[in-house]
């Protein structure tokens, strides 16, 4: 690359755009993608059903402990597909770059995306790059959309939670939100908090194949945290959920930082966590599957579906009280993903 | 909606996000989409092959004569699928909104997206909304990704142009770029120039079914214009392309504005145009199909593939000369799409 930073011309569609593609983007991503430079990628259509999802990432800062906007974007879309019980097969990458972004930063983000895609066994097959003038965006925004193949007949859905279901999470809550916040605000913490950003499709494939129809609902508690996500599921399934505060796995550093800042970790974003609703009979098996997986060593049963009721979530507190949980009001932590 | 403008909290994933979805986005887009509020949409997998594409839109201004960022985003992704010979079946919408955007502007954009999707007979099936603080984006950026079904065995590709092929375009060139530029710069023109933004999937379906294997290449000349797109195809197919300047259809108002500004309409973006490379035998039929279509009344044969040669494009000028055409260098018209 002749320039050290992104220029407006890199988004022109002309010579500089092709140079950016040919000298940076394609060499980094081509190991896992097809790049015949047509407007659309061509894929074999899988049997059965497709899952289709999209997410834009605007996290600030773009680099934070344990990850960056690039692997976050791959993990997020892989996980959205996995939560539908789908096997990710193809991802698109749409970059919106602020003029002046160091090429070295873009290179690092792209390399991280490549590595994340390889790890999740999904191909980056098509993309788009836009450049906007300095001051009209903030460094880098990334959209990832994804297609997954649903290879079974199960209905894994937010509206399929059933009375009696046990609710599991695959580990500590609030890590991602606190990692980004601490990084953005320059908080001096005793031990660095790292994002939990990770691809969960491998764990989900095992849960699907081992639990079958005993697996009712999967969702990743990202923006709004575990509380908001459970409230959504309670509303969709028209049930009452009861959580046990003492069962919630929380890293002491995250718990401490939340305490100092007056944040409730139940409302802080996660990027490598899933909530699974499973029939009570299958809870032990589900917990064992999670705990055997590298991204589930701290998995726990955190609650259950206690009644049919229009969208109630309540928390048995450590001191024996009952607290009603609502969705996150306002914006606790902007630009966390 | 309680607020007249977008607040940061509308991107929180919490209560305000759900309010924005429930009161604005879903009511407008739900007529054509499925909105069960899961992380991914579920679709039946079509037979054969899939096309998958993505584009982000950062056009400035977001409203311009003849369209806005919303229908532009739908048309662009519909057309990218059509250029692969695919029938669009599903579109995702990723919104990145600057805090403070008037809700009325967002509503108008969403309504236009709905109408454009209805017209193109494609469903908007999934979406995502992010909000960034004032000054960290420019009003509204939209990513649309799309899935199409390829219902035939043809290889319609930028690498399939063949010596002897006639090159057709479905109408006047440069309208979109000049409409946006005139609008952005407040140019006072005698007659308003309108974008040509339009869905071309209907026209392409007819071309595919009528021409079959005589249809070799389709591409929409967006950023970089007709010149850059033809140069790309010449490089991919390793051929020489010869254009006839006198055959290029140009609206006099666009030609005049380009002349005043020192712009070459061959390099100005289009959003409702396609370039078709067809076997010479099929050129008359292709031209007739285009001219019968509402988006092809000014269609013309503008050149042909004249030799095997590594990526040359040349223009027979009106005064009898031969001019070499290269890709757009630098950024002629930033943020045109």
């Amino acid at each position: 690359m002749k320039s050290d930073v992104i220029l407006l011309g890199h988004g022109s569609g002309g010579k500089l755009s092709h140079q950016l593609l040919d000298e940076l983007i394609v060499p980094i991503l081509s190991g896992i993608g097809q790049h015949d430079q047509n407007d659309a990628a061509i894929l074999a259509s899988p049997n059965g059903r497709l899952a289709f999802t999209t997410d834009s990432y605007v996290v600030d800062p773009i680099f934070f402990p344990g990850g960056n906007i690039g692997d976050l974007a791959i993990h997020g879309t892989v996980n959205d597909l996995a939560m539908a019980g789908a096997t990710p097969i193809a991802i698109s990458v749409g970059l919106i770059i602020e003029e002046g972004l160091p090429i070295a930063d873009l290179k690092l983000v792209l390399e991280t995306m490549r590595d994340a895609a390889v790890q999740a066994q999904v191909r980056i097959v098509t993309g788009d790059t836009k450049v906007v003038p300095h001051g009209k965006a903030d460094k880098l925004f990334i959209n990832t959309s994804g297609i997954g193949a649903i290879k079974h007949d199960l209905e894994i859905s937010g509206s399929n939670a059933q009375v009696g279901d046990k609710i599991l999470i695959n580990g500590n809550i609030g890590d991602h939100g606190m990692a980004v916040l601490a990084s953005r605000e320059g908080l001096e913490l005793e031990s660095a908090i790292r994002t939990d950003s990770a691809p969960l499709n491998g764990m989900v494939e095992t849960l699907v194949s081992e639990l079958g129809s005993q697996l009712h609902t999967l969702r990743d508690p990202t923006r709004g945290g575990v509380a908001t996500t459970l409230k959504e599921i309670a509303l969709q399934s028209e049930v009452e959920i009861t959580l046990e505060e003492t069962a919630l796995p929380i890293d002491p550093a995250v718990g401490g930082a939340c305490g100092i800042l007056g944040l409730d970790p139940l409302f802080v974003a996660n990027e490598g966590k899933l909530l699974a609703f499973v029939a009570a009979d299958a809870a032990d098996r589900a917990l064992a599957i999670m705990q055997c997986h590298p991204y589930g060593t701290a998995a726990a049963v955190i609650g259950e579906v206690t009644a049919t009721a229009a969208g109630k979530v309540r928390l048995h507190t450590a001191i024996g009280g009952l607290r009603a949980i609502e969705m996150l009001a306002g914006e606790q932590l902007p630009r966390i993903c």
Side-chain angles (χ1 to χ4, degrees), chain A:
Chain A
M1 302 289 296
K2 283 176 195 156
S3 169
D4 290 337
V5 299
I6 292 290
L7 309 172
L8 264 186
H10 286 121
S12 66
K15 218 174 262 183
L16 277 172
S17 291
H18 282 80
Q19 194 201 345
L20 181 68
L21 266 177
D22 294 342
E23 297 183 16
L24 193 76
I25 298 178
V26 171
I28 294 175
L29 299 182
S30 67
I32 47 167
Q34 51 173 208
H35 293 275
D36 61 3
Q37 310 245 347
N38 284 313
D39 290 319
I42 310 296
L43 313 167
S45 188
N47 295 325
R49 295 176 294 166
L50 293 178
F52 183 32
T53 189
T54 193
D55 258 313
S56 297
Y57 293 84
V58 298
V59 62
D60 171 38
I62 60 172
F63 297 100
F64 42 83
N68 67 53
I69 190 172
D71 50 4
L72 184 68
I74 298 294
H75 295 157
T77 288
V78 162
N79 291 349
D80 279 348
L81 293 171
M83 297 310 126
T87 303
I89 54 177
I91 282 185
S92 66
V93 174
L95 305 171
I96 298 175
I97 311 176
E98 184 189 12
E99 181 188 22
L101 181 77
I103 298 275
D105 285 359
L106 181 59
K107 183 164 180 282
L108 184 52
V109 168
L110 292 170
E111 287 169 346
T112 314
M113 296 188 87
R114 173 198 60 202
D115 295 347
V118 167
Q119 194 203 346
Q121 298 186 279
V122 64
R123 291 193 311 148
I124 297 171
V125 297
T126 189
D128 175 59
T129 304
K130 294 292 189 305
V131 180
V132 297
H134 181 68
K136 298 299 186 184
D138 194 7
K139 296 179 201 72
L140 179 61
F141 300 149
I142 300 180
N143 177 283
T144 44
S145 299
I147 300 177
I150 302 178
K151 301 174 175 178
H152 51 76
D153 295 325
L154 305 174
E155 284 301 330
I156 299 167
S157 161
S159 52
N160 197 27
Q162 295 168 24
V163 176
D165 280 358
K166 298 289 182 185
I167 303 167
L168 291 84
I169 192 163
N170 62 311
N172 294 333
I173 67 176
D175 293 7
H176 176 73
M178 292 312 294
V180 172
L181 183 69
S183 177
R184 182 162 68 208
E185 307 298 340
L187 298 187
E188 300 282 342
L189 302 172
E190 277 186 48
S191 54
I193 299 171
R194 292 168 62 87
T195 177
D196 63 337
S197 178
L200 300 174
N201 52 324
M203 184 187 297
V204 168
E205 294 219 2
T206 310
L207 289 170
V208 167
S209 66
E210 298 279 324
L211 303 184
S213 62
Q214 292 184 298
L215 178 60
H216 298 154
T217 301
L218 290 171
R219 189 164 296 175
D220 50 343
T222 56
R223 280 184 293 179
V226 168
T228 302
T229 302
L230 288 177
K231 182 77 180 177
E232 286 173 4
I233 295 169
L235 285 166
Q236 270 186 261
S237 293
E238 299 183 351
V239 295
E240 175 194 80
I241 288 169
T242 305
L243 289 179
E244 295 299 329
E245 186 171 31
T246 54
L248 293 171
I250 302 177
D251 178 90
V254 171
C258 281
I260 291 166
L261 296 167
L263 298 172
D264 184 339
L266 267 179
F267 290 89
V268 178
N270 311 277
E271 291 289 348
K273 293 297 170 315
L274 62 80
L275 293 161
F277 286 59
V278 306
D281 284 355
D284 288 346
R285 181 85 192 104
L287 187 63
I289 291 168
M290 286 184 182
Q291 288 175 339
C292 285
H293 197 280
Y295 300 129
T297 51
V301 176
I302 61 169
E304 60 189 321
V305 180
T306 36
T308 54
K312 279 176 73 176
V313 180
R314 43 187 218 164
L315 179 74
H316 262 147
T317 64
I319 54 167
L322 261 183
R323 177 184 145 207
I325 301 289
E326 300 298 335
M327 284 187 190
L328 179 62
E331 178 61 299
Q332 182 174 265
L333 297 172
R335 297 182 65 192
I336 222 68
C337 62

